[in-house]
């Protein structure tokens, strides 16, 4: 099954909750997600049985990889029960989890035992003052590091560590993060700060382009590019020439990868989005709860995918011709 731009459907990101304990300023800022914000009531969330049924239908349409995310996925009670159900679905080759790490030290072993294969932990600085200003929840770096260590001990290795870089905010943390994670066996990945709708006050000037990040790191520890492991791999990879492992960079702003995007996203209340940046989704929960057959579900999802023509990031980059100029000036410098 291919979409209107000949892209297959391979990956499904499942948001298992809309809640998070952090209020990262670039993601769920307190001004928007404050005390009065109304999160979804429990009955609006897809149940584990509904998620499993959907995942099975998606697997039948070609999905091979599931990523559990949120909100903060480890806030969903008994998540390991869902993981065990998903791991039993034929065709699913990989189940991964993206987490802020706050509850990971406690849960890593149970998650791995249930069938989780890999974990990505978000960590934006090793400096407590910077990290706490970003997570806006007073959460210290040390507990995230404990979570990363516990995940590696539980066999969820190599642990990927995602650092969103926002200019003037945590860019001075880039080199200390590299120094810390080089040679650790964990893979540090830098994420260009993205526009996630109207909630985070995104400005292009706040994006540190991938080329600038690579030039900065390569100036201290020489790097060489690595080939993609599979078509459509999101991160561009580099290895340290001295053998201290690799880093990745997700350049969705300056080098969009819409052309090879094989990902769909399912929100906690069961809406299917065909692009990370899509403003509206397709309500699968209504279909699920309407008592239809798997075949009818399959047809609805196939119809949505085959119509898909999203390429938000590509069009945005083209529209803001400045992006390329910013990038090139740093490549030269
Ligand atoms: N709570 C989990 C976590 O912190 O990893 C999972 C959800 S979070 C939305 C998933 C990832 O998206 C995190 O690595 C986070 O840093 C990243 N993210 C959120 N907002 C972003 C933005 N504006 N630009 C780039 N990455 C962002």
């Amino acid at each position: 099954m291919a979409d209107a731009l000949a892209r297959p459907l391979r990956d499904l990101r499942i948001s298992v909750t809309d809640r998070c304990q952090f209020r990262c300023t670039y993601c769920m800022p307190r001004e928007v997600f404050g005390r009065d914000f109304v999160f979804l009531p429990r009955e609006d969330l897809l149940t584990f049985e509904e998620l499993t049924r959907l995942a099975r239908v998606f697997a039948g349409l070609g999905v091979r990889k599931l990523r559990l995310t949120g909100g903060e996925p480890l806030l969903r009670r008994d998540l390991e029960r869902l993981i065990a159900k998903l791991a039993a679905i034929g065709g699913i080759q990989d189940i991964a989890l993206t987490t802020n790490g706050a509850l990971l030290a406690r849960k890593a072993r149970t998650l791995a035992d249930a069938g989780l294969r890999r974990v990505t932990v978000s960590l934006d600085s090793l400096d407590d003052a910077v990290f706490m200003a970003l997570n806006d929840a007073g959460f210290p770096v040390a507990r995230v590091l404990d979570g990363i260590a516990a995940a590696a001990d539980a066999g969820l290795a190599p642990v990927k560590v995602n650092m969103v870089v926002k200019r003037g905010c945590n860019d001075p943390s880039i080199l200390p993060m590299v120094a810390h994670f080089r040679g650790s066996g964990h893979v540090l990945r830098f994420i260009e700060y993205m526009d996630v709708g109207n909630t985070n006050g995104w400005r292009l000037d706040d994006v540190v382009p991938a080329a600038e990040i690579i030039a900065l790191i390569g100036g201290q520890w020489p790097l060489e590019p690595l080939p993609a492991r599979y078509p459509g791999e999101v991160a561009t990879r580099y290895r340290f020439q001295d053998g201290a492992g690799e880093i990745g960079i997700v350049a969705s702003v300056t080098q969009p990868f819409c052309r090879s995007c094989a990902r769909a996203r399912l929100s906690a209340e069961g809406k299917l989005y065909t692009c990370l940046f899509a403003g509206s989704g397709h309500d699968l929960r209504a279909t699920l709860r309407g008592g239809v057959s798997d075949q009818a579900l399959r047809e609805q999802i196939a119809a949505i995918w085959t119509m898909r023509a999203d390429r938000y990031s590509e069009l945005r980059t083209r529209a803001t011709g400045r992006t390329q100029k910013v990038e090139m000036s740093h490549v030269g410098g």
Side-chain angles (χ1 to χ4, degrees), residues 13 19-22 24 26-28 68-73 98-101 120-124 162-165 191-196 200 202 252:
R13 310 179 150 247
R19 290 163 202 257
C20 188
Q21 331 82 316
F22 287 13
C24 296
Y26 56 76
C27 185
M28 290 178 69
L68 303 181
T69 177
E72 169 49 39
T98 304
T99 173
N100 60 27
T120 299
V121 181
S122 306
L123 178 63
D124 297 328
N162 271 5
M163 172 178 178
V164 175
V165 184
I191 319 287
E192 286 182 343
Y193 168 52
M194 294 183 295
D195 176 9
V196 291
N200 70 349
W202 185 86
S252 37

Side-chain angles (χ1 to χ4, degrees), residues 8-14 54-56 58-69 86-87 89-98 116-120 160 162 189 229-235 250 262-266:
L9 171 56
R10 289 280 178 263
D11 298 357
L12 180 65
R13 310 179 150 247
I14 303 176
L54 271 182
R56 194 175 298 119
F58 274 101
L61 288 166
V63 165
R64 294 291 168 263
K65 176 177 159 193
L66 301 175
R67 175 172 295 279
L68 303 181
T69 177
L86 298 175
I89 297 175
I92 296 299
Q93 295 165 351
D94 192 13
I95 303 179
L97 172 90
T98 304
L116 187 70
R117 291 281 190 80
R118 297 185 299 117
V119 71
T120 299
K160 287 186 188 150
N162 271 5
R189 304 182 338 152
R229 274 167 304 192
Y230 52 89
E233 188 170 32
V234 172
V250 181
R263 272 171 299 280
R265 181 163 69 91
L266 185 66

Side-chain angles (χ1 to χ4, degrees), residues 36-203:
D36 298 333
F37 187 83
V38 182
F39 288 96
L40 293 169
R42 196 179 166 78
E43 62 274 17
D44 282 4
L45 300 180
L46 292 187
T47 64
F48 289 171
E49 287 66 31
E50 288 170 333
L51 283 169
T52 308
R53 183 176 168 207
L54 271 182
R56 194 175 298 119
V57 172
F58 274 101
L61 288 166
V63 165
R64 294 291 168 263
K65 176 177 159 193
L66 301 175
R67 175 172 295 279
L68 303 181
T69 177
E72 169 49 39
L74 296 186
L75 287 180
R76 180 85 186 245
R77 195 176 305 157
D78 300 331
L79 189 71
E80 59 280 4
R81 201 164 63 76
L82 174 65
I83 290 170
K85 284 170 169 291
L86 298 175
I89 297 175
I92 296 299
Q93 295 165 351
D94 192 13
I95 303 179
L97 172 90
T98 304
T99 173
N100 60 27
L103 298 172
L104 191 57
R106 191 175 334 151
K107 298 197 171 180
R109 177 71 57 187
T110 323
L111 295 167
D113 288 348
L116 187 70
R117 291 281 190 80
R118 297 185 299 117
V119 71
T120 299
V121 181
S122 306
L123 178 63
D124 297 328
S125 180
L126 289 171
D127 179 323
D128 259 333
V130 175
F131 185 53
M132 287 186 193
L134 267 171
N135 68 51
D136 199 13
F139 200 85
V141 171
R143 289 192 38 208
V144 181
L145 294 177
D146 288 348
I148 294 171
D153 282 352
L156 299 169
V159 177
K160 287 186 188 150
V161 179
N162 271 5
M163 172 178 178
V164 175
V165 184
K166 190 173 173 195
R167 194 182 295 288
C169 187
N170 65 337
D171 43 337
S173 300
I174 295 173
L175 291 178
M177 284 282 282
V178 177
H180 182 87
F181 286 108
R182 259 171 53 84
S184 69
H186 310 315
V187 178
L188 180 58
R189 304 182 338 152
F190 298 91
I191 319 287
E192 286 182 343
Y193 168 52
M194 294 183 295
D195 176 9
V196 291
N198 295 323
T199 54
N200 70 349
W202 185 86
R203 297 179 322 137

